[in-house]
Amino acid sequence: MHHFRYRNGILHAEDVDVREIAAAVGTPFYCYATATIERHYRVFAEAFTELDPLICYSIKANSNQAVIATLARLGAGMDVVSEGELRRALAAGVAPDKIIFSGVGKTRAEMAAALDAGILSFNVESEPELHALAEVAAGRNRRARVSLRINPDVDPHTHEKISTGRAEDKFGIPYDEAPRLYGIAAGLEGLEVWGVHMHIGSQISELAPFERAFGLMRALIVALRAEGHDIRHADLGGGLGVPYRKDEPDPPHPSDYARIVEQALGDLDLQLALEPGRLITGNAGILVTRVLYNKPVDGKHFLIVDAAMNDLMRPTLYDAHHEIWPIAEEANAGPMRPTDVVGPVCETGDYLARGRLLPALPEGALLAVMTAGAYGAVQSGTYNSRPLVPEVLVRGGKFAVVRPRPSHEDLIALDRLPPWLSSRG
Ligand code: LLP
């Protein structure tokens, strides 16, 4: 469900004609719909009403200040994984006591910044990190509230690069080692051990892996409590998938996901936290691009557009499928042919879609790459010296540029010449 619809034959973002935004900001650009972000947050929150969890939006999915502020106003907390994300959350007005710091490689400086900000809790992923956090906290006369991230060795059946809960993945503490590490943590000055954390992967399209992981979490909590640990908190991570393809069944609904959480953990009197990212912003965003050239070669058709792999990495990095919609609906009436939608970057891996059935699209036609609101702009870069693309947020009939397009001068000005190369040197 999202708010990008054809109206009078033209794709609209909520009530705004996408052509109007393209005329104002140029292409390519990311466009987000406030109504979709808010709807997804509400649907997710309502599914969990009974359990009353803290919903910490995983801001790595889309960390634009406007997106964070939209969610913060609805009461969302944030899951952050770096000092940069921590600062973004604080700058957007998120209450520190709704921020959870995850991540496999927090530096001592990052730990100190988070402690000074007064965040809710840290998710710790290894024994040395536990000692480092204890040291940093004790050195500041603070106690860091801690959950240990446990790796349950559950295969989430998603793309290899976004599976995080198998034994061979770098994340978390092996399940069997958990009791020993809780024992160590309990004895460290500077720590208050209060919870258990798991996050088994992203874009998960079945409930069974979650069910297995939460069942293991339950058993662990019961065992830890029996050993005298005061476990009051469980952070279940994110990972619930979103629909990317029109020809695939939808992933489970948040209410089905909530039911398995309730079944596994509902009677344990826990303060729950959830860290959805993609689910909130995934299909709240599109990447709008313009056709530069048509290039038929050897029985193949290349559609060369002005967005590229540096703007949306997901297709080349994860073989991800994003639907591509012409902004002018009438184009869809024409005959379809397999098309490779490619960008200007000098790599064969620079594609947004391969072998996709698309109608003939003339130079200058606008296209929307759908479901690009999560892990789109945040993973973009400036390869081939292409400035980052702007981000636009729509709300009803209004739109605002929430990250302007940097100029080429801005990009070049990030570099410095050493004294021996500058004319003044
Ligand atoms: N919590 C933790 C600890 C995480 O590592 C992640 C995502 C989330 C929550 C949010 O997961 P979500 O609800 O969004 O699935 N760039 C990849 C996805 C990487 C996910 C990384 N961790 C992609 O474009 O598919």
Side-chain angles (χ1 to χ4, degrees), residues 58 60 79 162 199 202 238-239 275-278 314 318 375 379:
S58 192
K60 64 172 77 68
D79 157 47
I162 53 176
H199 169 78
S202 193
E275 303 172 339
R278 191 190 311 266
R314 302 196 69 260
Y318 314 111
Y375 308 111
Q379 292 192 205

Side-chain angles (χ1 to χ4, degrees), residues 86 90 93-100 114 117-121:
L86 169 67
L90 296 171
V94 178
D97 63 359
K98 288 184 171 180
I99 297 177
I100 296 182
I119 67 161
L120 178 66
S121 176

Side-chain angles (χ1 to χ4, degrees), residues 188-267:
L188 288 173
E189 196 199 333
L191 300 187
E192 176 199 340
V193 183
W194 79 319
V196 178
H197 175 227
M198 276 186 191
H199 169 78
I200 59 171
S202 193
Q203 186 54 18
I204 300 172
S205 56
E206 319 159 14
L207 288 178
F210 288 119
E211 243 173 329
R212 270 199 296 284
F214 300 156
L216 287 164
M217 185 186 252
R218 178 192 179 83
L220 180 62
I221 291 171
V222 170
L224 291 171
R225 283 180 172 173
E227 284 173 27
H229 297 288
D230 184 16
I231 305 296
R232 287 163 282 143
H233 170 82
D235 180 341
L236 309 183
L240 196 56
V242 304
Y244 278 96
R245 316 172 74 110
K246 57 178 185 305
D247 56 355
E248 266 184 2
D250 282 354
H253 190 271
S255 54
D256 299 321
Y257 176 73
R259 200 167 315 120
I260 65 154
V261 172
E262 163 81 49
Q263 276 163 10
L265 302 162
D267 61 338

Side-chain angles (χ1 to χ4, degrees), residues 20-92:
E20 211 185 298
I21 309 175
V25 306
T27 55
F29 64 91
Y30 277 97
C31 173
Y32 311 129
T34 302
T36 313
I37 298 172
E38 292 184 343
R39 186 189 143 87
H40 286 153
Y41 179 80
R42 290 207 172 101
V43 166
F44 194 75
E46 276 161 24
F48 280 95
T49 315
E50 302 254 305
L51 294 168
D52 194 25
L54 176 61
I55 298 176
C56 291
Y57 166 62
S58 192
I59 74 175
K60 64 172 77 68
N62 184 324
S63 55
N64 188 289
Q65 285 288 285
V67 171
I68 301 173
T70 299
L71 288 163
R73 284 190 186 186
L74 299 179
M78 300 290 148
D79 157 47
V80 304
V81 293
S82 67
E83 184 172 348
E85 287 192 351
L86 169 67
R87 286 175 182 252
R88 277 183 183 274
L90 296 171

